[in-house]
Amino acid sequence: MNLPIQVAAHGAVLCITLHHPARRNALTPEMLCRLADAVVAFAADDALRVAVITGSGDQAFCAGGDLARTLPLLTGARPPEDDWDRRVLQEPQVMAASGLRDHPLHKPVIAALNGSCMAAGFELMLGTDIRIAAEHALFGLPEVQRGLLPFAGSMARLPRQVPQALAMELLLTGEPIDAATALRIGLVNRVLPGPQVLPAAMAMAERIAANGPLAVQAVKRTVLGASGQPLAQAYALEDEARRLVLASDDAREGPRAFIEKRPPRYTGR
């Protein structure tokens, strides 16, 4: 089936592809629901350790919310017409999980930004942990230019991820920046030619998936939990993560494998 959200497992790495190329992968209500379902399933599957999110084609990662279907539904200009619409309006988890916003997810997520990353696509990117972008990608939050505002995490997350003055410029003008600028301000980790983006993201995901899963998830959980907290509280979270990880079988297996000069066999216990 040619589904608008395509999911494929490659060992311990899950690749999620936004597949709506005719509309530059703009998010329809169906896509939001299917993306949320994919994120929830990924979080619950112990066999999957890292996710990569990308878009189909070579022009756009995601152009935002579909202006013909999603935005009119959310503003009330269009009544719900099917089960996808009703789920978006009635199930808080759909918007939370599809935006990687306030749904608990301690596994790493890498964005393979194959093209333009705008509006809701930009906000989805902000929920990822590592970002690899194509040289031709553009990044922007144009909502204010349309009388809207970015409500899927950008107002809270962007000033924590880049300097506040730069965040305010992006949020208030709605003007886009190019990939080189995104790299310079620390919004993305790496900029590559378009065909290299997804392979590089998958290779990084595989490297992370080979690490101890308890340690990897504890690092992400602690970093997110400590963000904005006083140092004393942040250190307390770090101490708790240390206690849990050092008591695990994996914490004994890693050093043993290193001494024995063999690959570690992590079980997540």
Side-chain angles (χ1 to χ4, degrees):
M1 296 178 64
N2 195 24
L3 296 176
I5 298 293
Q6 300 184 347
V7 179
H10 303 268
V13 177
L14 183 70
C15 185
I16 302 173
T17 303
L18 312 179
H19 183 62
H20 191 199
R23 298 296 296 272
R24 298 172 64 82
N25 301 322
L27 295 166
T28 64
E30 179 182 357
M31 292 175 72
L32 289 170
C33 293
R34 290 188 182 276
L35 178 56
D37 292 343
V39 169
V40 170
F42 166 65
D45 191 338
D46 290 339
L48 297 171
R49 297 182 179 181
V50 184
V52 172
I53 297 182
T54 192
S56 66
D58 59 6
Q59 295 301 309
F61 168 68
C62 176
D66 189 295
L67 293 178
R69 299 288 301 164
T70 305
L71 271 299
L73 177 70
L74 296 177
T75 62
R78 180 177 74 81
E81 300 169 9
D82 56 25
D83 288 342
W84 304 116
D85 288 353
R86 284 183 280 274
R87 284 191 63 192
V88 167
L89 295 179
Q90 297 171 10
E91 297 180 23
Q93 180 175 264
V94 168
M95 297 301 288
S98 66
L100 301 177
R101 183 173 179 264
D102 46 7
H103 179 77
L105 180 62
H106 300 141
K107 299 178 183 181
V109 181
I110 299 173
L113 304 165
N114 54 299
S116 295
C117 183
M118 307 295 288
F122 188 111
E123 299 201 274
L124 174 58
M125 174 197 66
L126 290 179
T128 65
D129 304 295
I130 297 171
R131 300 132 193 192
I132 300 175
E135 293 171 332
H136 63 277
L138 293 175
F139 301 83
L141 293 164
E143 283 87 344
V144 292
Q145 296 180 351
R146 303 184 181 107
L148 303 168
L149 80 169
F151 53 80
S154 289
M155 292 184 287
R157 291 193 290 211
L158 186 58
R160 298 184 184 208
Q161 297 185 17
V162 303
Q164 181 167 323
L166 296 176
M168 293 302 285
E169 182 177 349
L170 284 164
L171 288 162
L172 295 176
T173 68
E175 295 298 323
I177 59 174
D178 60 19
T181 303
L183 179 65
R184 177 176 57 81
I185 68 175
L187 188 63
V188 301
N189 298 71
R190 194 174 303 174
V191 173
L192 298 173
Q196 297 179 23
V197 169
L198 183 56
M202 292 297 292
M204 184 174 290
E206 289 165 3
R207 288 198 298 274
I208 295 171
N211 296 333
L214 292 179
V216 166
Q217 292 176 37
V219 166
K220 176 171 178 175
R221 182 171 60 249
T222 304
V223 168
L224 293 180
S227 177
Q229 298 295 326
L231 273 179
Q233 295 181 29
Y235 289 153
L237 292 174
E238 194 172 79
D239 290 344
E240 177 65 8
R242 178 189 64 191
R243 183 187 68 80
L244 292 173
V245 172
L246 292 188
S248 69
D249 292 341
D250 282 357
R252 289 181 281 275
E253 166 63 10
R256 185 186 305 119
F258 180 80
I259 292 170
E260 296 174 359
K261 295 181 172 56
R262 61 171 175 80
R265 295 183 289 270
Y266 295 123
T267 61
R269 295 193 294 271

